[in-house]
Amino acid sequence: MASGSPDDSGRQAALPWTPGDVSESATEALQALDTYKKKDPSKVVVRFKAVGNAPIMRQNFYKITASNRFQAVIQFLRKELAWKAGDPLFTYINLAFSPAPDDTVSNLYKSFATEGHLIVNYSTTAAWG
Amino acid sequence: MSAYGTTRHHGQTSANSTPASTTLFRRLTWEGTVPLEIRVDSKELPANSDRGLECYYIQAPRVSYLPLLMPEIRRFLMDVVFDEAAGKMLKEEEWWFESEEGTLLKWHWPIGLIYDNHTISASIRPPSQTSTSHYNLQVTPLKLILHLASPPTEKLLLSPSAESCKQAYMGQLKEADFIRWGNTKRMTGLRKQDQDGIWEGIKEHNFDDYWRVASKIVPTTAPARSSSPPPSTNPSMHIRPPSADPQSAPDRDNAYNVRSVPVRLYLPDGPVMQDVVSPTLEDGSAHTLVHYLSTHLPLLFPPAPYSGPELAYAMMHGVLVPPDAEMAWLGACMAGADGWVSVCVGIAR
């Protein structure tokens, strides 16, 4: 988390708790938390569908790691389409809405998968924006 | 909190059949504010700035967004801190925020969520000397560092403009609509002036303007039949019978008839979890918060029977939520202005 940001004298280092600081239950809770923080290594099938006059992809099924953010899907799509930076490309789930770019593929898949696929529509103009 | 009760079963039904308790909780959610301390990164202050005054304090609505605060912050800095000539050189679109711990603050997260997320993330760090409360929920300003240049665009994901914040917000509303009903007809059915109006309601922090439109998309807690007696504690009453009268609008919009409740679960320093949260369980009983938590995070909220110490807590809009709160009720009464129920989980001390 901490990056090349200015060094603030008041800042607290994010040290792990030392055993003297915490009760047994807090230790247990922190360990439990670690298991939920583990990234889901599984992959899910994302199916890209062009909308309007957006170019069609030769291959439109891809397996994408579930823990990726939707932003990574957008970047992947732009690369596959050889889309120029700055050229507009709008992405939607189920022809309905644009997810937040920081949402994970895993979350979107669990909530919106259709017949085992997460359907991502893409368009060169705002369609359901 | 407990004095208000946690269920939908009391309070009279008003003319538009929104129970008084629903309106009360919606208003409490809407009126919530958080204190912010905004300090310009001292290394980035332009020449001739007034250094004693580079801190700005604001009590910001929880349902608002950082891009909406920018005009006010800018006005303060221009009037009081920056030298006039130097201030004119600054480009507002390059400004960005970071927490004291170095976490980037996202433009498209509601301010209340940023605050609560900071609180739960602090719950896994060494206790500071000032924290005395068990849950460390005392209200202290969230300290933000304002940078004036070189935004890490890749990580911020969105530009800081109010317009892109609005687009992201509308996307969240639509996603919530899709979660509830399996389509976005309610959202797409809104006229342009309503779509703009709901955002204006947030911008101006106007409860009535917001709910004038939001009531068309957020489900109600009203009883299915206005003539029926107050609902009993038997939640199966809220399940739509197979032959439900399609003309019964309150039934169609009832919080207990949604396919799923838009809920996201936030853990300290991430991750954010989301999946299908049905309003009722298979046996017809209401899906409660404690059931939801012990299903999704059984190691932190061990299912009954469990008699060990409390390991974690669940917080919404800065308050601890009773475990028997019903998910459908939370979706109708304690969702944020973006339609989502944001459950923030911290570690108990």
Side-chain angles (χ1 to χ4, degrees):
Chain A
M1 283 293 196
S3 54
S5 49
D7 192 14
D8 208 311
S9 57
R11 176 181 298 189
Q12 272 183 345
L15 296 168
W17 291 6
T18 53
D21 286 341
V22 270
S23 63
E24 229 170 86
S25 64
T27 311
E28 188 186 335
L30 290 170
Q31 281 166 357
L33 202 55
D34 281 342
T35 60
Y36 296 124
K37 281 181 189 290
K38 288 211 179 81
K39 287 197 171 164
D40 183 356
S42 66
K43 294 193 171 201
V44 300
V45 178
V46 173
R47 183 176 178 186
F48 292 106
K49 281 187 177 179
V51 174
N53 56 5
I56 291 166
M57 296 166 86
R58 226 170 297 143
Q59 185 194 341
N60 58 3
F61 287 84
Y62 289 92
K63 278 192 168 176
I64 292 185
T65 307
S67 60
N68 270 325
R69 285 161 187 250
F70 191 69
Q71 178 71 8
V73 176
I74 298 173
Q75 280 162 349
F76 174 80
L77 180 62
R78 294 188 78 100
K79 210 177 109 209
E80 285 297 307
L81 294 173
W83 220 240
K84 271 182 262 158
D87 280 359
L89 186 70
F90 299 86
T91 43
Y92 301 91
I93 300 291
N94 291 345
L95 298 173
F97 64 89
S98 293
D102 55 338
D103 209 347
T104 62
V105 172
S106 165
N107 282 345
L108 293 167
Y109 183 84
K110 279 188 233 161
S111 298
F112 306 111
T114 313
E115 290 166 3
H117 305 146
L118 179 65
I119 298 173
V120 175
N121 314 101
Y122 58 97
S123 169
T124 56
T125 52
W128 298 274
Chain B
M1 193 69 199
S2 60
Y4 295 116
T6 60
T7 71
R8 66 203 178 278
H9 301 318
H10 61 99
Q12 319 114 323
T13 301
S14 67
N16 61 1
S17 79
T18 303
S21 63
T22 300
T23 308
L24 171 66
F25 276 96
R26 285 176 174 177
R27 190 171 275 283
L28 286 170
T29 300
W30 182 266
E31 299 295 344
T33 59
V34 291
L36 304 178
E37 178 191 303
I38 295 159
R39 181 185 295 271
V40 181
D41 182 354
S42 59
K43 292 200 206 81
E44 295 172 19
L45 273 176
N48 304 324
S49 295
D50 194 333
R51 286 195 171 249
L53 299 165
E54 78 275 24
C55 233
Y56 185 59
Y57 292 89
I58 183 173
Q59 194 73 26
R62 282 180 162 272
V63 294
S64 190
Y65 294 86
L66 288 172
L68 300 181
L69 299 185
M70 291 306 268
E72 182 182 340
I73 296 168
R74 183 186 174 84
R75 206 175 310 127
F76 167 81
L77 293 171
M78 296 299 278
D79 288 355
V80 179
V81 181
F82 298 156
D83 170 74
E84 203 179 327
K88 278 186 186 145
M89 303 288 288
L90 295 168
K91 295 188 198 115
E92 208 180 310
E93 61 272 17
E94 293 191 344
W95 294 11
W96 54 286
F97 289 103
E98 192 178 39
S99 76
E100 248 192 338
E101 294 80 16
T103 309
L104 296 185
L105 300 191
K106 291 181 182 140
W107 295 116
H108 61 293
W109 279 29
I111 289 168
L113 180 60
I114 290 174
Y115 190 93
D116 290 347
N117 201 53
H118 183 267
T119 304
I120 58 167
S121 296
S123 79
I124 60 166
R125 303 195 213 294
S128 72
Q129 285 162 340
T130 50
S131 78
T132 49
S133 125
H134 179 53
Y135 292 111
N136 193 23
L137 291 184
Q138 79 271 40
V139 180
T140 50
L142 174 59
K143 295 179 179 175
L144 305 184
I145 296 161
L146 173 59
H147 295 281
L148 303 176
S150 317
T153 319
E154 287 279 291
K155 291 179 184 162
L156 288 166
L157 302 168
L158 291 173
S159 81
S161 72
E163 184 52 35
S164 70
C165 189
K166 178 187 175 186
Q167 293 309 322
Y169 169 77
M170 296 314 266
Q172 289 301 297
L173 272 186
K174 280 187 190 142
E175 183 172 345
D177 207 31
F178 195 95
I179 294 242
R180 286 189 208 100
W181 312 108
N183 59 60
T184 51
K185 282 183 198 149
R186 282 169 175 76
M187 275 299 294
T188 50
L190 290 180
R191 287 173 301 172
K192 172 84 168 69
Q193 70 189 79
D194 279 346
Q195 293 215 8
D196 293 342
I198 197 166
W199 177 246
E200 282 300 309
I202 291 175
K203 237 170 136 178
E204 303 299 324
H205 199 225
N206 185 314
F207 178 83
D208 293 327
D209 284 353
Y210 171 82
W211 276 105
R212 192 170 301 129
V213 184
S215 59
K216 296 175 186 173
I217 46 179
V218 179
T220 69
T221 55
R225 298 280 181 279
S226 54
S227 57
S228 67
S232 74
T233 49
N234 175 6
S236 63
M237 278 196 64
H238 296 279
I239 297 170
R240 184 207 297 261
S243 60
D245 176 4
Q247 287 170 337
S248 172
D251 197 41
R252 193 186 66 116
D253 292 332
N254 192 294
Y256 290 79
N257 288 339
V258 298
R259 286 167 39 140
S260 173
V261 184
V263 182
R264 289 202 181 106
L265 194 52
Y266 294 79
L267 295 181
D269 288 340
V272 181
M273 297 156 85
Q274 168 193 335
D275 67 12
V276 177
V277 182
S278 60
T280 50
L281 301 174
E282 275 173 18
D283 66 359
S285 64
H287 192 171
T288 58
L289 180 63
V290 66
H291 185 275
Y292 169 75
L293 291 171
S294 62
T295 310
H296 287 80
L297 304 171
L299 297 173
L300 289 173
F301 298 92
Y306 171 76
S307 53
E310 192 176 33
L311 301 173
Y313 61 89
M315 185 172 75
M316 286 173 217
H317 305 292
V319 295
L320 299 176
V321 182
D324 59 349
E326 296 169 1
M327 299 310 287
W329 183 89
L330 291 170
C333 299
M334 283 187 71
D338 57 3
W340 287 82
V341 175
S342 302
V343 183
C344 293
V345 169
I347 298 302
R349 291 190 171 158

